[in-house]
Amino acid sequence: MYTTPEQFIAATKTNLEAQFAAITALNQKAFEGLEQFVSLNVNAAKATFEEGTAATQQLLNAKDAQELIALASAQAKPNAEKALAYGRHLATITSATQQEFTKAVESHIAETNAKVVSLIDEVTKNAPAGSEQAVTALKSVVGNINAGYEQLSKTTKQAVSTLEDNLANATKQFTQAAEKATTTAKKK
């Protein structure tokens, strides 16, 4: 099948087009994640500004120090809960974007790998006598690249899992600290 340079060039062109399509798809996923992140931050900033203005007005209207402390204490837990909700939403966006990236990359790698193996097989059929070592070396390189990708994929999945576990742990600790602060403030 790939016996002429034109056929090899055509196969290379097809592969480059597939690479370009994969990069375009990954960029699209990255921009979607970025768009969600920006939207989350804009909404959080707007809500924080509005709530901060209302809270400041309440504090300014306090009649005495006791009421001021009570109002400030009452705001601690809702603020902590909002920060936790923000963190969870951010983690969801990050995780979903990472999963989309992983899915797209794995799909592209599998497709490209199949094409490369097919190309190697086709070239091998038409290879001149005495080129067995070169073919074996080429197959070894492809095997090593695949093994490297699998290790990278496994490491990335472990890192994401660790990040999600750490975020869950931090969320739990933050919640406990906020509840403790609120309880302490109410006792005063």
Side-chain angles (χ1 to χ4, degrees):
M1 182 176 176
Y2 298 104
T3 56
T4 67
E6 291 81 18
Q7 290 171 320
F8 189 76
I9 290 171
T12 303
K13 180 182 176 194
T14 301
N15 189 34
L16 288 175
E17 288 170 349
Q19 296 285 344
F20 181 73
I23 289 170
T24 301
L26 289 175
N27 283 335
Q28 181 66 34
K29 298 296 179 194
F31 279 112
E32 288 172 5
L34 181 62
E35 182 179 40
Q36 291 174 346
F37 176 71
V38 168
S39 176
L40 173 66
N41 283 326
V42 167
N43 290 337
K46 183 178 178 184
T48 300
F49 177 75
E50 291 171 356
E51 292 164 3
T53 301
T56 301
Q57 191 61 43
Q58 283 181 336
L59 293 173
L60 291 173
N61 291 332
K63 294 179 177 110
D64 55 29
Q66 219 171 17
E67 185 180 355
L68 182 69
I69 292 171
L71 287 170
S73 297
Q75 294 172 3
K77 187 173 181 179
N79 288 340
E81 290 171 352
K82 289 172 190 163
L84 289 174
Y86 172 85
R88 285 186 194 114
H89 198 119
L90 183 60
T92 299
I93 291 169
T94 303
S95 180
T97 301
Q98 185 276 331
Q99 287 174 0
E100 288 294 323
F101 258 66
T102 301
K103 190 185 328 177
V105 168
E106 286 175 348
S107 172
H108 177 69
I109 293 283
E111 183 181 319
T112 300
N113 188 31
K115 288 178 182 178
V116 168
V117 169
S118 174
L119 178 62
I120 291 172
D121 288 344
E122 200 60 39
V123 168
T124 304
K125 290 178 189 175
N126 299 316
S131 62
E132 292 82 14
Q133 286 182 332
V135 171
T136 301
L138 184 58
K139 286 182 178 180
S140 177
V141 167
V142 171
N144 288 338
I145 289 171
N146 287 336
Y149 166 73
E150 288 175 14
Q151 184 60 40
L152 178 64
S153 179
K154 189 183 299 183
T155 302
T156 301
K157 288 177 183 178
Q158 287 173 344
V160 169
S161 176
T162 301
L163 177 66
E164 289 173 348
D165 291 345
N166 288 341
L167 181 61
N169 190 26
T171 300
K172 180 180 174 185
Q173 289 176 358
F174 188 71
T175 302
Q176 290 171 346
E179 288 175 356
K180 185 176 181 181
T182 302
T183 303
T184 303
K186 285 181 181 179
K187 288 180 181 177
K188 291 182 179 181

